[in-house]
Amino acid sequence: MSRLTGSTAGQSRTTDIDRAAASPFDRPSDFKPSDPDPLEIALAEIEAGALEVYAHAGLPTAPGHYRKPPDADAWTFIAAELSPEARFALTLDHPAERGWRFARLQDLGARSGRADLRAASRLLNEIADLRAARRGVLKEDHLLIALELGGAWRALRDSKAVTASRLTLTPPQTASPKAAKTPRKPRAKRDKSPEAR
């Protein structure tokens, strides 16, 4: 009875009407979950592993845009976000013919001679694609990318487990020449006499 006459009586009716009018398939555009979902947790774990490969190779690990001057080995950070116009202006001011290189974080290892850096770059690109697709419409291709991403991550993780193993094989030690030259002391012969001592 208190529900019908109390202060929340009008609210319960409007929420029931609102629930009936809202489609269960509509997703609010500004929806932000309080806890990360399992997919985001998996993507973050894969991203951390790929960035660890970058770090071991001496490449940067902060997201953003980078440039490499001519005759330099290290990439320098430009900005976290660059508009297409700003990127175009940079390439006009510093042409590739003169040795300048520009790349996003996920592309830094793509042209490396090392297979692990190319694999890490591919993982970072696929993660970026999946995150962008989650804000829009997910298609069948995104599911295939997610499956490939899982397989590539397992292969990368397994290869790191082998290299991080503490098991080492060493050849047996050979006897030193000094030890081989020392004669052995002969064993004492047992006294076979029947007399007691």
Side-chain angles (χ1 to χ4, degrees), residues 130 133 137-148:
L130 276 179
V137 177
L138 289 170
K139 298 179 182 173
E140 183 180 336
D141 293 343
H142 298 121
L143 178 60
L144 294 174
I145 288 172
L147 291 172
E148 289 174 8

Side-chain angles (χ1 to χ4, degrees), residues 20-174:
S23 171
F25 300 104
D26 290 341
R27 182 175 180 166
S29 59
D30 59 346
F31 175 73
K32 291 186 181 177
S34 58
D35 293 330
D37 60 343
L39 178 59
E40 185 54 40
I41 292 170
L43 291 178
E45 182 182 344
I46 295 169
E47 184 178 44
L51 290 176
E52 186 179 330
V53 172
Y54 266 31
H56 285 301
L59 291 176
T61 57
H65 294 266
Y66 291 86
R67 71 177 172 191
K68 186 162 50 166
D71 302 325
D73 293 333
W75 290 90
T76 56
F77 182 77
I78 302 172
E81 299 271 338
L82 277 179
S83 66
E85 296 84 15
R87 282 184 273 167
F88 187 68
L90 279 172
T91 55
L92 286 179
D93 293 340
H94 308 287
E97 295 83 25
R98 293 188 190 157
W100 285 88
R101 297 290 178 258
F102 296 91
R104 299 174 303 163
L105 173 70
Q106 56 264 36
D107 298 323
L108 294 180
R111 291 193 174 124
S112 172
R114 291 177 46 177
D116 60 343
L117 286 177
R118 289 193 308 270
S121 174
R122 189 168 56 90
L123 287 174
L124 291 172
N125 271 303
E126 289 178 351
I127 289 167
D129 290 346
L130 276 179
R131 283 182 174 150
R134 290 186 73 192
R135 292 188 288 269
V137 177
L138 289 170
K139 298 179 182 173
E140 183 180 336
D141 293 343
H142 298 121
L143 178 60
L144 294 174
I145 288 172
L147 291 172
E148 289 174 8
L149 189 62
W153 167 240
R154 273 187 238 98
L156 182 65
R157 187 184 58 200
D158 293 346
S159 71
K160 283 186 352 186
V162 168
T163 58
S165 174
R166 293 185 191 179
L167 177 65
T168 56
L169 300 175
T170 57
Q173 293 181 349
T174 58

